[in-house]
Amino acid sequence: MPKDWADAETIERFANLSNSEPLYPGSSSIALNADGTLALVGGTEGAVGIYLTAEKKVGESYNAGGPITAAVWATDVPLVATSLGEVKILGDKETSFKSHAGSAAALAVHPSGDIVASVGVDKSFVFYDVPNGKAVTQIYTTNRKTSSHNVLKFNREETSQLT
Amino acid sequence: MQDITFSENGIWFAAVAKESNQVVIFDLRKEGKGAQVKQLEIGGTVQSIRWDYSGQYIAASGPGGLSIVQYTKSSKSWSDVLSVAVPATAVAWGPEAKSLVVVNADGEITVLSS
């Protein structure tokens, strides 16, 4: 067990420290930054906020233009995905990617903290270089050539470069 | 499937089906049928599951509340640590697993800590 990690006794004593107002109806995603000070949350109306956990209030807020399906922190950069197929980098360098036909279902952050992947109901994956604000690659997994292969393998003929 | 989650240490994978209260846990070091090592019965339907960063604790949340289960390496056993009637659609672990920040369907954010 890492040295200062919570033990079972600590967790047994978890209690409700604070409750916000109902901020974003229909929320199904929440992401905390590394030091736990900022919680990224968004709901079905497209409103997204960064909730300051210590001050118990919303800091920055945004409108993502569609119901939020996923929320992640790429190091200090907040990203959300919507059911309209968009993935958005929020904050100072706000950037939108119309990535998927249909809902953008999930986001995942690479351990480096700089690359994010989105997956859509269109069965494609898109990778984003977050520090440079670009979508790097879109990979479709429904090609009959790949249907008998592990869906996680890249098929170079299907890779298209996006600017 | 309703939700899936890997632990950061690459050992555990957990999954829960829609409308289910059972979280299935896989040990990724094992192969085939032996990889499924545990089925956790949670007190209500589970919408979201998340390992803490160390892979020792898994939080399972749903409309009825939230449960945290611990894996103890020395005894290879799973034990219930916490069950609270805090409904949540999603959860996020704070630093060192000393807090849990959750959101419910109304968009209320709750911070749990000791």
Side-chain angles (χ1 to χ4, degrees):
Chain A
M1 180 180 311
K3 192 161 145 306
D4 293 320
W5 218 259
D7 59 13
E9 276 180 35
T10 303
I11 294 180
E12 276 164 15
R13 288 178 291 127
F14 271 7
N16 183 339
L17 274 200
S18 66
N19 240 92
S20 73
E21 296 295 303
L23 295 168
Y24 306 112
S27 293
S28 59
S29 318
I30 187 165
L32 264 191
N33 67 342
D35 63 13
T37 54
L38 307 175
L40 179 65
V41 180
T44 48
E45 290 160 12
V48 179
I50 295 178
Y51 181 77
L52 308 172
T53 54
E55 293 88 336
K56 301 170 195 162
K57 60 178 193 181
V58 177
E60 298 293 322
S61 57
Y62 311 89
N63 195 314
I68 303 303
T69 54
V72 295
W73 289 93
T75 313
D76 296 320
V77 180
L79 287 95
V80 295
T82 76
S83 62
L84 301 182
E86 285 195 305
V87 173
K88 291 180 181 270
I89 296 176
L90 301 173
D92 298 335
K93 297 183 186 172
E94 191 160 327
T95 313
S96 286
F97 303 94
K98 177 72 180 82
S99 297
H100 296 287
S103 184
L107 294 173
V109 185
H110 184 268
S112 66
D114 290 339
I115 299 171
V116 170
S118 65
V119 63
V121 298
D122 61 358
K123 302 182 187 177
S124 76
F125 296 91
V126 181
F127 294 87
Y128 308 86
D129 169 352
V130 176
N132 291 305
K134 293 176 186 266
V136 176
T137 303
Q138 182 147 18
I139 298 160
Y140 289 88
T141 59
T142 53
N143 181 343
R144 65 177 184 276
K145 286 186 197 165
T146 56
S147 61
S148 61
H149 289 56
N150 181 330
V151 71
L152 295 174
K153 263 194 172 161
F154 290 4
N155 176 341
R156 289 194 188 282
E157 283 109 351
E158 290 302 307
T159 300
S160 62
Q161 297 295 320
L162 301 177
T163 52
Chain B
M1 275 293 128
Q2 174 70 34
D3 201 9
I4 53 175
T5 181
F6 284 98
S7 62
E8 287 290 323
N9 58 17
I11 295 177
W12 306 114
F13 176 74
V16 62
K18 283 194 193 300
E19 313 292 329
S20 174
N21 72 326
Q22 299 188 342
V23 176
V24 183
I25 299 186
F26 298 85
D27 180 338
L28 299 175
R29 298 167 296 186
K30 300 179 197 259
E31 287 182 16
K33 293 204 164 173
Q36 181 173 327
V37 296
K38 187 71 185 173
Q39 196 150 294
L40 298 176
E41 294 265 335
I42 307 294
T45 303
V46 176
Q47 292 172 308
S48 171
I49 43 177
R50 282 294 177 269
W51 296 101
D52 79 300
Y53 192 85
S54 72
Q56 291 174 84
Y57 304 108
I58 182 165
S61 68
L66 159 67
S67 293
I68 296 174
V69 178
Q70 178 184 29
Y71 177 71
T72 303
K73 201 166 151 186
S74 55
S75 55
K76 292 193 172 36
S77 63
W78 299 84
S79 49
D80 295 322
V81 178
L82 180 75
S83 252
V84 286
V86 176
T89 53
V91 304
W93 284 94
E96 299 176 335
K98 290 177 177 165
S99 60
L100 198 69
V101 183
V102 311
V103 68
N104 65 16
D106 295 327
E108 285 176 14
I109 299 172
T110 299
V111 177
L112 294 161
S113 186
S114 51

